[in-house]
Amino acid sequence: MSTISFFNLSLSFLPLIFIWYFYYKWTKDKKDILIATLRMIIQLITIGYLLVFIFKSNDIKIGIFIVLFMIIVSSWITLRNTINKSFNHYLQILSAVAISGLVNLIIIIGFVLDLESLYEPRYVIPLAGMVFANTMNALSLAVERFEKEIEGTSFEEARQIAFKACMIPQINSLLAVGLVALPGMMTGQILSGIDPLIAVRYQIMIMAMTLSSAGISAIVYFLLKANFIQKSN
């Protein structure tokens, strides 16, 4: 792949200036996009240097620490978007994220890819990032919608609406893949010279992983929530 120069890279931010202008004009908030963009740049540059070190090391303890860090942070970000910010609620979210993410990660790493070693950083870390980020986004939608619906309806009806809402982006992505868009991982592999038919297999694995991680996280969360409500009553 060709290396992108810093000048050429800076051109990709031109549309953001347009977006920032209207975001500020319509919402009166001039900080959100600027802070988010700056954080994105700093975080990605930092993780780039960190991944160079991680990929050279096969120390499984480092891998375990990174996965645990992802679970804790993604759970905290999910909690940030909820009304109930109690410690018990955080534990429910943490359990849902951890169970869903680890189940999918173990299946992919241990069985689907059939790697020589259970811990190969260049596979484990990127895949863990994908699965926990997806789990975080889906669960955020589920919890946020559930908290709004539960105020005016029963637990079962609120759960039904919230579960369906959090699965809409996942199902839409499966319906659109290959017809509307070529997903990031598949595009990256094709750009790096991988046979498209091999890239397709990896993308199918990723799409199945993202759908199941989203679904399992919501299921675990609602099971824990139901159990907590029963004990409270």
Side-chain angles (χ1 to χ4, degrees):
M1 295 180 63
S2 61
T3 301
I4 302 175
S5 69
F6 285 111
F7 174 76
N8 288 353
L9 183 61
S10 68
L11 298 179
S12 64
F13 290 96
L14 291 178
L16 282 181
I17 299 174
F18 177 77
I19 300 299
W20 173 84
Y21 171 76
F22 280 94
Y23 188 83
Y24 171 58
K25 184 178 180 180
W26 290 347
T27 69
K28 307 305 179 185
D29 189 333
K30 61 182 178 181
K31 293 182 179 180
D32 273 359
I33 291 180
L34 294 177
I35 292 174
T37 302
L38 184 61
R39 279 191 56 175
M40 176 270 293
I41 295 172
I42 294 173
Q43 288 168 187
L44 286 179
I45 291 175
T46 302
I47 197 63
Y49 282 106
L50 185 60
L51 286 175
V52 172
F53 166 74
I54 293 171
F55 289 172
K56 290 180 179 179
S57 172
N58 287 321
D59 190 346
I60 194 171
K61 294 190 291 295
I62 296 177
I64 292 173
F65 172 79
I66 293 173
V67 170
L68 290 176
F69 181 78
M70 288 180 180
I71 293 172
I72 293 170
V73 172
S74 58
S75 301
W76 181 258
I77 294 174
T78 301
L79 183 71
R80 175 177 171 270
N81 299 312
T82 66
I83 298 173
N84 181 5
K85 292 181 170 56
S86 66
F87 182 68
N88 283 333
H89 194 213
Y90 176 70
L91 289 180
Q92 293 170 7
I93 292 172
L94 181 71
S95 299
V97 170
I99 292 172
S100 173
L102 291 175
V103 164
N104 281 277
L105 197 58
I106 290 171
I107 291 174
I108 295 300
I109 298 299
F111 300 97
V112 178
L113 293 178
D114 194 23
L115 303 176
E116 294 181 3
S117 172
L118 186 60
Y119 177 65
E120 292 189 24
R122 68 189 185 95
Y123 287 99
V124 175
I125 303 305
L127 288 173
M130 289 183 192
V131 70
F132 288 117
N134 182 75
T135 300
M136 173 188 69
N137 291 333
L139 194 56
S140 293
L141 289 175
V143 177
E144 190 270 343
R145 188 64 181 270
F146 175 79
E147 288 185 329
K148 288 184 177 179
E149 296 295 334
I150 196 64
E151 295 177 359
T153 186
S154 66
F155 174 86
E156 288 75 17
E157 290 177 345
R159 179 183 61 191
Q160 176 187 357
I161 295 171
F163 188 40
K164 187 169 185 178
C166 82
M167 296 299 289
I168 287 175
Q170 315 299 326
I171 294 173
N172 283 351
S173 66
L174 263 67
L175 294 173
V177 66
L179 297 176
V180 179
L182 292 180
M185 182 178 186
M186 181 176 172
T187 301
Q189 287 183 314
I190 292 174
L191 289 175
S192 65
I194 299 294
D195 186 329
L197 294 178
I198 295 177
V200 163
R201 297 184 189 183
Y202 275 87
Q203 193 59 53
I204 291 173
M205 175 191 75
I206 294 300
M207 301 303 288
M209 181 182 73
T210 55
L211 181 65
S212 59
S213 65
I216 292 174
S217 66
I219 291 168
V220 171
Y221 172 79
F222 288 126
L223 290 175
L224 293 173
K225 178 64 70 175
N227 184 58
F228 179 77
I229 291 175
Q230 288 178 354
K231 288 183 178 179
S232 299
N233 295 333

